[in-house]
Amino acid sequence: MSPLSSSFSLFLFFVLAITPFSQLFVPVDSRTHPGDVRVLEALKASIDPKSVHPGSCVSSWDFSVDPCDRIFSDRFTCGLLCDLAVSNYSRVTKIALDSAGYSGNLSSVPWDDDVLYLETLDVSYNSFAGSVPGSLAGLTSLRRLRLSRNSLSGQLPASLGSLAALEELSLDGNNFDGGIPSSFNRLASLKRLELQGNNLSGDLLSDLGSLKSLFFLDASDNQFSGGVPAALPPSLVELSLRNNRLRGDLPEIDRGATKLLQVLDLSRNELSGAVPSALFEHPSLEQLTLSHNSFTSLHAPPLGGVNSRLVAVDLSYNNLRGLLPGFMAAMPTLSALSLEHNLFTGMIPSQYALRVRDAALGRRGGGTTEIGRLLLGGNYLFGPIPGPLMGLRPGSANVSLVDNCLYRCPNEFFFCQGGDQKSPADCKSFSPIIP
């Protein structure tokens, strides 16, 4: 080896020895698309530095290195994903900040600045304020937009309705007001829509049935008014409209058009009239919650409920009258039934008691599931306690018969504890057939 080669080798060894390993692989030229870099820089600049704590994702964003070429680096350790190469540039496809309490305003970020390949934007569970920027509509490849649990406010921009590829839109837990833009009816690829916990008002989407791919919709805890949409997406699995101001009669649910529906929660609204019979023979519905409304009656299904798939039914805190519905005791998969705080009268059907006793004893009879939860308190039921309930031990089943007109319901029975029976005067004033 020549003296020159020997000297160069010694120099190279010296450089390698004193240079940190992570810096040996920093590229001379950036590989991330300039538009993506501008958006990342603007996003970090939009965040209040006081809310960027050591160890958080954004604290590792150091633009002295290339965001997408951070191998062996302690910079850009999290918060983004670059898994697409286009025209010799790496493209950012995912921005997902950690829930570190970041505060700031998203409107100052140039979202429409050539960030064409971003598929996920997730800033959930932070403290971003201000409005949702309409420029998000420029993210034409966006599939998931998650803004949950921040302090965002104002009206929802109609421009979001142009995001044709959008599959998930999570806006829950903010302070949005106004109505849902009609442009949302065009989100044909949308699978999940979360709007709960805002101050949204007006009618629900006028053409909810047009969202052919939607399987989850939660618009609970808002101020929506009007009626329950008659046409639902055929793909819908879960619908929750709890705690709004919906009113009027509940429309008939087309069992054939909603054959995937499993959960329906319309509790704490102002719905009235009759509970449709179709809900009790729906081919897939498992959980029905209609409590805290003003329903006055329910229609028995033509086949007596034997084809029902319901597991849990809650019709409590309504104005339901008449005898306890006997068909419910025939619903084969029912395990939890709450009819408390209504105006039911008559005697407790023995079929109810037998199903509860089977639950307490661990039996399964006649191909039916045991009823382990039976809440009948706060009605005008009379007569003796059914015999199959008399031998139940505390903890064997969840049963309540308090605040009725039963002949004798002493505290020695656990299902009579927590409230006295109504006075004879109250019972007779409600139903003259009560002795």
Side-chain angles (χ1 to χ4, degrees), residues 186-318:
R186 300 197 301 266
L187 295 174
S189 298
L190 197 63
K191 297 180 179 179
R192 187 179 186 92
L193 177 59
E194 298 192 55
L195 302 171
Q196 67 270 26
N198 284 287
N199 296 309
L200 296 168
S201 58
D203 292 340
L204 288 166
L205 287 171
S206 58
D207 192 15
L208 186 61
S210 66
L211 304 181
K212 301 298 185 182
S213 301
L214 193 69
F215 69 80
F216 181 93
L217 171 58
D218 192 342
S220 303
D221 303 313
N222 279 287
Q223 304 294 324
F224 289 115
S225 56
V228 176
L232 300 177
S235 56
L236 198 62
V237 173
E238 181 169 343
L239 174 63
S240 180
L241 304 177
R242 179 185 62 252
N243 195 26
N244 279 284
R245 295 179 178 177
L246 302 175
R247 61 183 59 190
D249 293 346
L250 186 59
E252 287 283 349
I253 302 295
D254 189 336
R255 290 175 291 179
T258 59
K259 57 185 178 181
L260 299 179
L261 187 64
Q262 295 181 11
V263 177
L264 179 62
D265 187 350
L266 303 176
S267 61
R268 296 186 180 276
N269 279 284
E270 301 169 19
L271 299 169
S272 57
V275 180
S277 62
L279 293 176
F280 302 112
E281 286 189 330
H282 194 280
S284 60
L285 191 63
E286 298 179 359
Q287 180 177 325
L288 176 63
T289 307
L290 302 177
S291 61
H292 294 272
N293 279 285
S294 298
F295 292 110
T296 55
S297 63
L298 51 84
H299 291 162
L303 299 179
V306 295
N307 294 326
S308 172
R309 299 289 299 275
L310 283 165
V311 175
V313 174
D314 187 351
L315 300 175
S316 61
Y317 291 91
N318 279 284

Side-chain angles (χ1 to χ4, degrees), residues 84-105:
L84 186 66
V86 179
S87 300
N88 297 321
Y89 282 114
S90 291
R91 302 308 305 251
V92 176
T93 58
K94 180 178 182 179
I95 298 176
L97 301 185
D98 49 337
S99 305
Y102 303 119
S103 60
N105 194 306

